[in-house]
């Protein structure tokens, strides 16, 4: 079989880091709202070691968000990301209720955070059908959808909690490309739109965010992307956006191979009772690392 030219380096055993991809995607969705919305990181809620994945603060007097994700946003907006396979069930939902309650009571004065000014957003690959049916049929929640893949969850006259459930697989990529592309089994047209949108970016921070998104997209769809890379009409567009990630993976692979070879050389030299200084010179390993290797194979390190 002919060897593939410039293959995409990919370790199928390496877990896909979805969380950084989600954070970068949200930043990209709000890239035109920087003056009106502050995007924070993970947030500790209450006095317990509990965190929500992200908080977005809407400034006073801010205009409506240009992103459909933020159309329902109020003053304080908490976000929780669910990787593929993570559950979104009744217990997860109640935990979200608890997080809203804890955040509401964490202000430095009584009623400092108005309940009606807090929203909570779950972001998930698939639609949580069972949960949504239960919320509507058994718990009195009203579920509406003004945008494809975005569901508002509200229960009147009890506590003014407002929830949003975003289903990535249902999103209209024309409206929500950065978040919508973060899925396994992305369509060819969806990936093409992602490449075209990425190619228009000039801002360095935005390009860095896209690099993070791209890393997740490649990891989740490596076989599809390898196949599409052979298409002449996509090859050039893919090269520009994928090259940094391909280079990163190749550099990491080379570094790991060099480290492995250095360890093997150190083992052989230790077994021959070579002096420490010589092992350091030949392997470029630190003294602590050489001592660690020596302990692992049950030998002592010769002085010198």
């Amino acid at each position: 079989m002919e060897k593939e030219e410039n293959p995409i380096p990919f370790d199928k055993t390496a877990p896909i880091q979805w969380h950084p991809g989600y954070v970068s995607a949200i930043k990209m969705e709000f890239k035109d709202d920087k003056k009106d919305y502050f995007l924070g990181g993970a947030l500790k809620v209450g006095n317990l070691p509990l965190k929500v994945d992200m908080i977005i603060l809407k400034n006073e007097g801010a205009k409506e968000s240009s992103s459909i994700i933020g159309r329902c946003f109020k003053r304080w907006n908490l976000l929780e990301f669910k990787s593929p396979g993570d559950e979104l069930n009744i217990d997860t939902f109640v935990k979200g209720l608890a997080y809203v309650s804890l955040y509401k009571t964490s202000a430095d004065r009584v009623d400092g955070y108005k309940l009606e000014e807090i929203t909570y957003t779950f972001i998930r690959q698939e639609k949580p059908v069972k949960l949504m049916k239960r919320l509507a049929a058994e718990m009195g929640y009203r579920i509406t959808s003004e945008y494809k893949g975005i569901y508002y969850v509200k229960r009147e006259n009890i506590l003014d909690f407002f929830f949003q459930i975003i289903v990535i697989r249902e999103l209209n990529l024309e409206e929500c490309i950065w978040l919508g592309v973060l899925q396994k089994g992305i369509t060819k047209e969806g990936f093409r739109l992602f490449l075209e949108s990425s190619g228009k970016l000039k801002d360095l921070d935005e390009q860095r965010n896209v690099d993070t998104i791209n890393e997740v997209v490649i990891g989740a769809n490596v076989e599809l992307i390898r196949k599409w890379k052979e298409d002449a009409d996509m090859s050039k567009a893919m090269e520009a956006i994928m090259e940094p990630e391909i280079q990163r993976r190749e550099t990491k692979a080379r570094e790991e191979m060099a480290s492995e070879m250095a360890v093997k050389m150190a083992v052989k030299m230790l077994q021959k009772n070579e002096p420490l200084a010589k092992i350091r010179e030949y392997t470029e390993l630190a003294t602590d690392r050489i001592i660690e290797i020596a302990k692992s194979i049950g030998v002592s390190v010769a002085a010198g």
Side-chain angles (χ1 to χ4, degrees):
M1 181 179 292
E2 190 175 0
K3 188 176 181 181
E4 180 185 0
E5 184 180 358
N6 297 323
I8 299 172
F10 179 67
D11 180 2
K12 291 185 177 180
T13 64
I16 300 170
Q17 301 299 317
W18 291 92
H19 187 280
Y22 284 140
V23 171
S24 291
I26 295 297
K27 288 179 178 179
M28 289 302 295
E29 296 293 348
F30 282 82
K31 66 183 178 66
D32 296 327
D33 297 329
K34 294 176 183 177
K35 293 182 179 179
D36 292 313
Y37 294 81
F38 170 78
L39 277 64
L43 175 73
K44 185 175 181 293
V45 289
N47 295 319
L48 298 173
L50 301 173
K51 289 183 178 180
V52 293
D53 293 318
M54 192 173 189
I55 182 170
I56 298 179
L57 304 180
K58 184 177 181 180
N59 296 333
E60 298 245 0
K63 62 180 179 61
E64 183 182 72
S65 173
S66 61
S67 170
I68 59 172
I69 291 171
R71 297 286 164 80
C72 68
F73 278 6
K74 300 179 183 178
R75 185 73 176 92
W76 298 281
N77 308 281
L78 312 178
L79 287 76
E80 180 174 342
F81 307 133
K82 313 301 287 185
S83 299
D86 287 350
E87 288 288 337
L88 179 46
N89 53 35
I90 189 62
D91 288 344
T92 318
F93 185 81
V94 171
K95 184 179 71 172
L97 285 169
Y99 281 171
V100 172
S101 300
L102 286 169
Y103 183 72
K104 191 260 180 289
T105 59
S106 67
D108 56 7
R109 66 181 189 278
V110 175
D111 207 25
Y113 298 150
K114 300 289 185 182
L115 193 57
E116 63 272 17
E117 288 295 314
I118 303 174
T119 73
Y120 198 95
T121 296
F122 292 103
I123 298 178
R124 189 174 189 257
Q125 300 276 313
E126 307 285 351
K127 186 176 181 178
V129 177
K130 291 182 180 179
L131 171 64
M132 293 171 73
K133 284 183 177 179
R134 185 170 180 183
L135 292 175
E138 300 178 19
M139 303 180 68
Y141 282 93
R142 185 166 59 93
I143 301 175
T144 59
S145 179
E146 294 187 24
Y147 307 97
K148 192 175 179 182
I150 297 180
Y151 299 88
Y152 298 157
V153 182
K154 184 75 170 63
R155 183 167 58 173
E156 306 289 349
N157 302 324
I158 298 178
L159 284 174
D160 198 17
F161 291 118
F162 185 94
F163 285 86
Q164 176 178 225
I165 297 175
I166 297 177
V167 180
I168 291 177
R169 287 197 180 279
E170 295 183 2
L171 290 172
N172 182 343
L173 297 187
E174 295 284 350
E175 297 179 310
C176 208
I177 182 59
W178 309 113
L179 184 60
V181 79
L182 286 177
Q183 57 176 287
K184 292 183 177 181
I186 182 73
T187 65
K188 184 176 180 180
E189 289 308 311
F191 188 61
R192 187 197 303 276
L193 180 60
F194 170 64
L195 295 176
E196 292 173 352
S197 301
S198 302
K200 298 174 183 176
L201 299 174
K202 303 299 181 185
D203 183 88
L204 186 58
D205 286 338
E206 292 176 2
Q207 290 173 346
R208 290 196 186 105
N209 283 324
V210 168
D211 286 345
T212 303
I213 297 169
N214 187 49
E215 182 178 347
V216 177
V217 175
I218 291 177
N221 299 279
V222 65
E223 296 301 335
L224 285 173
I225 292 172
R226 278 181 174 147
K227 180 180 177 181
W228 296 336
K229 191 168 180 258
E230 298 172 2
D231 293 356
D233 62 334
M234 289 190 70
S235 179
K236 188 173 292 187
M238 289 175 69
E239 182 179 350
I241 182 65
M242 291 175 61
E243 191 61 30
E245 173 59 13
I246 291 173
Q247 289 181 355
R248 188 194 69 81
R249 288 173 182 264
E250 288 176 340
T251 299
K252 183 180 179 182
R254 285 194 297 269
E255 290 173 349
E256 289 175 351
M257 184 178 295
S259 176
E260 184 179 344
M261 291 177 65
V263 170
K264 288 180 178 179
M265 182 181 292
V267 169
K268 289 181 180 179
M269 295 180 76
L270 285 164
Q271 290 171 337
K272 293 179 180 180
N273 203 33
E274 298 280 7
L276 176 61
K278 187 175 180 180
I279 298 174
R280 278 202 310 261
E281 179 185 354
Y282 277 72
T283 65
E284 297 185 353
L285 292 173
T287 298
D288 290 348
R289 179 64 175 134
I290 295 171
I291 293 172
E292 181 183 325
I293 295 169
K295 289 181 179 178
S296 71
I297 61 175
V299 300
S300 58
V301 181

